[in-house]
Amino acid sequence: MINETPRVRFAPSPTGYLHVGGLRTALYNYLFARRNKGKFILRIEDTDRKRFVEGAVENLITSLKWCGLEFDEGPDSGGELGPYLQSQRLHIYDHHVQELIKSGHAYYCFCTSERLNALREEQQRQKLPQAKYDKHCLHLSKDEIENNLASGIEKVIRLNVESNMKIIFDDIIRGRVEFDSNNIDDQILIKSDGYPTYHLANVVDDHLMKITHVIRGEEWLSSTPKHVLLYDFFNWEKPQFAHLPLLLNPDRSKLSKRQGDVAVEDYRAKGYLKEALVNFVALLGWNAGDDKEFYYLDELIEKFSLERVNKSGAVFDLEKLNWLNAEHLRKKSDEEILQLLKEEVRQSSFADIQYSDEYLLKVISSMKERVSFVHEYLSKSPYFFKEPNEYEQAAVAKSWKPETPDQLKKLCETFAQLDNPTKEDFEHAFIKTVDELNIGKGKLIHPLRLAVSGLSTGPGMFDILFILGKDEVIRRINKAIDTLKN
RNA sequence: GGCCCCAUCGUCUAAUGGUUAGGACAUCGCCCUUUCACGGCGGUAAUAUGGGUUCGAAUCCCGUUGGGGUCACCA
């Protein structure tokens, strides 16, 4: 145990997508493995045939890889201790559960769902503290069991939990946790369809796959005593447990679909950078003990430790995610952003217009401090991609005066004389014009911005003029004069 | 309801017996500025509560309250 290389796993059920809570669990497992030179394993817990979702496993892997979490062993990456799909390990669970039956720690149960329901209702009517199976089938005779088995009636296999036992385990995050076996039900281990339940499968697989640390969500804490019992009954060494605090909705309930996006692919589709998502989710429940909040994955690996994971749940705060996205986006080089922007343009309504890299790079450097998402280059400065067709109402009312058209015409005449103007040339020409007009700069600069961009906000005026170029600027001014003259 | 977990600004968190309880997001104000941002400066804002222990408690113990999780032939 001491010098064993750590082996951890992320064991999601393939429900169709990667939940951000799942991403956080996967990330902590990954960081722990990389930090401690261990192995990170992906195991798919697909033992519920009713919940089978086509393509879910592929989708899960795609999301995980998009985030940069590469696993060492898993369904599509091989490994010595596979298969890594539980549905392909049925014979293994079957083999092990037979041992339990032999040793008396598990037993066949032939109770119908009608009897189980009646039992539960009766227990509720009596206001018993909790509903539990009454161990009816534990007391069946050998012959009865043989006959039932031979007759082929439906059966399950249950865990035989003894009463009056203390079940204690140490959790890395929560410390010592204690349960009373009287509160633990005779959990079904093998379902009537022959598939194992989570409890059996996860213990058998974690043992066989030599998992050293079980790092999972807090929702598993209350079923951990069942797992501890199984390890003891099998006479297996237990892994170390670390139950992570839950990710919460703004109302502090467990993060769920009803209150917003929960799938990694949703955030990806909304334009969040993987660096930001990973950085954000890492900080939900963990910190290095200092004030650093901006991290890349490799820095997280270097700093991560389970000992610094918090105990209490954390609200998934979109505002902070947005801020981190902006931070990560601004830290990228213009060339990196160029690639992202070209992809964004390709998927936009401007797809068939050609913009040169040189042009887009100018747009990027002028807008970089003003956007939080790549798609905002298009939505916040559409005028770099097409001429304005309408003009911001409030700004027109505020700055478009009766004398404005004539002043802008004069400005156009000055611009027209420029030869391949730089930003400074535009500025000088502008100043010369307002001087001749004997008006303040502000008198003309706002209408000019409006005429050229249709909006009242954006990069420096002369940056916009330079990026657009002389001919386009003059064209747009004339169009604005025509449109707004009324 | 039983069992289990948790409890510092609105949110994420730091402070592992001695701090004017710190930082970040958000928010508000000021500066910068032709606009909007970025940036800079500053403000509002927290130890749930009652008892202990201690010279001293956000920190340790107990109770209360509050929140969450879990009680399936789902994971």
Side-chain angles (χ1 to χ4, degrees):
Chain A
M1 188 78 186
I2 300 298
N3 288 318
E4 206 169 6
T5 70
R7 290 174 58 84
V8 297
R9 85 302 197 273
F10 175 52
S13 67
T15 54
Y17 57 89
L18 178 59
H19 190 282
V20 289
L23 169 62
R24 207 272 310 260
T25 301
L27 177 64
Y28 283 12
N29 272 283
Y30 172 85
L31 295 175
F32 178 81
R34 291 288 172 271
R35 177 75 184 89
N36 298 292
K37 306 267 181 288
K39 299 290 182 200
F40 176 51
I41 294 136
L42 176 69
R43 185 177 70 225
I44 304 298
E45 312 247 334
D46 58 345
T47 56
D48 186 356
R49 291 188 301 174
K50 293 189 288 295
R51 285 198 181 186
F52 179 77
V53 176
E54 191 74 49
V57 175
E58 294 72 13
N59 196 304
L60 213 45
I61 292 175
T62 302
S63 288
L64 238 25
K65 289 190 173 171
W66 177 70
C67 291
L69 307 190
E70 298 282 345
F71 35 83
D72 304 302
E73 298 170 28
D76 72 339
S77 34
E80 299 294 302
L81 303 171
Y84 296 88
L85 248 49
Q86 289 186 329
S87 58
Q88 296 174 4
R89 301 171 62 82
L90 264 28
H91 59 289
I92 300 176
Y93 309 120
D94 202 55
H95 167 79
H96 283 92
V97 86
Q98 287 305 324
E99 267 182 46
L100 254 26
I101 288 179
K102 272 187 212 116
S103 61
H105 292 304
Y107 59 95
Y108 286 106
C109 173
F110 305 96
C111 289
T112 60
S113 53
E114 287 74 30
R115 178 171 132 66
L116 260 20
N117 287 338
L119 181 67
R120 203 168 295 139
E121 278 169 32
E122 174 61 17
Q123 287 173 338
Q124 269 169 15
R125 204 178 53 74
Q126 287 183 31
K127 293 224 161 41
L128 256 41
Q130 66 161 178
K132 271 173 66 179
Y133 179 60
D134 62 358
K135 287 184 184 282
H136 174 265
C137 291
L138 178 62
H139 309 296
L140 259 30
S141 73
K142 212 167 186 157
D143 284 351
E144 283 173 302
I145 297 172
E146 291 300 323
N147 287 339
N148 281 340
L149 252 24
S151 75
I153 62 169
E154 291 224 321
K155 63 173 191 296
V156 299
I157 297 175
R158 287 182 184 272
L159 180 67
N160 183 13
V161 179
E162 289 171 49
S163 53
N164 300 321
M165 278 170 54
K166 286 263 176 278
I167 300 163
I168 300 167
F169 59 91
D170 289 303
D171 187 280
I172 295 175
I173 293 165
R174 279 148 223 288
R176 179 151 296 200
V177 185
E178 195 173 316
F179 288 84
D180 187 329
S181 71
N182 295 335
N183 293 314
I184 298 169
D185 201 2
D186 279 5
Q187 182 66 48
I188 290 178
L189 264 18
I190 300 281
K191 299 180 265 188
S192 59
D193 63 3
Y195 278 65
T197 56
Y198 171 85
H199 308 285
L200 202 229
N202 114 83
V203 167
V204 169
D205 288 345
D206 283 345
H207 172 72
L208 262 22
M209 294 179 183
K210 303 184 191 304
I211 298 304
T212 59
H213 301 258
V214 169
I215 304 168
R216 67 205 338 177
E218 194 195 335
E219 68 265 35
W220 296 108
L221 193 58
S222 29
S223 46
T224 303
K226 290 169 184 170
H227 308 158
V228 168
L229 242 27
L230 281 168
Y231 282 104
D232 288 345
F233 291 160
F234 280 124
N235 222 331
W236 289 341
E237 188 178 1
K238 288 182 275 291
Q240 292 212 232
F241 293 102
H243 287 94
L244 308 175
L246 262 18
L247 256 38
L248 272 27
N249 290 312
D251 71 356
R252 305 202 75 83
S253 57
K254 188 161 105 173
L255 189 64
S256 68
K257 227 179 196 168
R258 272 253 57 92
Q259 299 191 33
D261 291 318
V262 295
V264 168
E265 58 191 278
D266 292 336
Y267 288 92
R268 181 181 182 178
K270 287 194 167 183
Y272 287 93
L273 298 169
K274 58 176 182 286
E275 294 90 340
L277 227 207
V278 166
N279 187 164
F280 174 64
V281 130
L283 258 18
L284 254 25
W286 171 89
N287 73 85
D290 52 27
D291 286 341
K292 186 174 166 70
E293 302 208 81
F294 184 92
Y295 285 97
Y296 289 113
L297 193 55
D298 56 339
E299 299 174 309
L300 289 170
I301 291 171
E302 197 180 317
K303 292 285 182 55
F304 186 79
S305 77
L306 284 176
E307 285 69 26
R308 287 205 62 89
V309 173
N310 293 145
K311 297 180 210 284
S312 46
V315 174
F316 193 90
D317 178 21
L318 270 183
E319 299 277 12
K320 194 146 188 178
L321 207 211
N322 291 341
W323 169 74
L324 267 176
N325 203 72
E327 289 291 295
H328 276 277
L329 185 54
R330 282 197 280 263
K331 281 279 193 330
K332 285 183 180 293
S333 69
D334 291 4
E335 284 68 27
E336 265 180 291
I337 296 174
L338 174 65
Q339 299 313 316
L340 298 173
L341 180 55
K342 283 165 86 170
E343 182 54 37
E344 196 68 42
V345 170
R346 209 170 293 139
Q347 291 171 16
S348 74
S349 56
F350 310 125
D352 21 305
I353 308 173
Q354 289 299 317
Y355 308 96
S356 69
D357 286 1
E358 186 196 10
Y359 180 79
L360 292 177
L361 249 10
K362 284 183 201 159
V363 171
I364 289 168
S365 69
S366 75
M367 286 299 290
K368 201 169 184 176
E369 302 300 323
R370 279 161 250 264
V371 299
S372 297
F373 294 87
V374 176
H375 56 69
E376 286 180 344
Y377 280 100
L378 303 184
S379 61
K380 285 196 165 176
S381 54
Y383 45 85
F384 283 133
F385 301 89
K386 74 174 212 293
E387 63 177 20
N389 286 319
E390 37 191 50
Y391 303 86
E392 201 181 303
Q393 281 297 315
V396 173
K398 191 176 173 196
S399 62
W400 197 270
K401 301 288 191 278
E403 64 273 23
T404 302
D406 283 343
Q407 294 172 341
L408 284 176
K409 271 180 196 154
K410 182 168 171 57
L411 184 64
C412 276
E413 285 162 19
T414 317
F415 283 170
Q417 290 164 20
L418 299 173
D419 179 29
N420 201 16
T422 62
K423 171 184 166 182
E424 289 71 24
D425 294 335
F426 273 117
E427 185 162 6
H428 293 145
F430 176 84
I431 289 171
K432 184 174 165 231
T433 305
V434 292
D435 281 352
E436 287 172 11
L437 250 19
N438 200 22
I439 55 175
K441 285 198 289 181
K443 266 279 188 243
L444 198 52
I445 206 159
H446 297 295
L448 173 58
R449 175 182 293 282
L450 194 57
V452 159
S453 74
L455 300 175
S456 61
T457 65
M461 189 65 253
F462 305 108
D463 288 308
I464 297 180
L465 299 182
F466 172 64
I467 292 169
L468 256 20
K470 182 177 95 172
D471 295 345
E472 182 68 12
V473 166
I474 292 174
R475 229 170 45 74
R476 288 189 183 191
I477 292 173
N478 285 324
K479 177 178 174 179
I481 290 171
D482 284 348
T483 312
L484 293 170
K485 98 175 106 190
N486 53 22

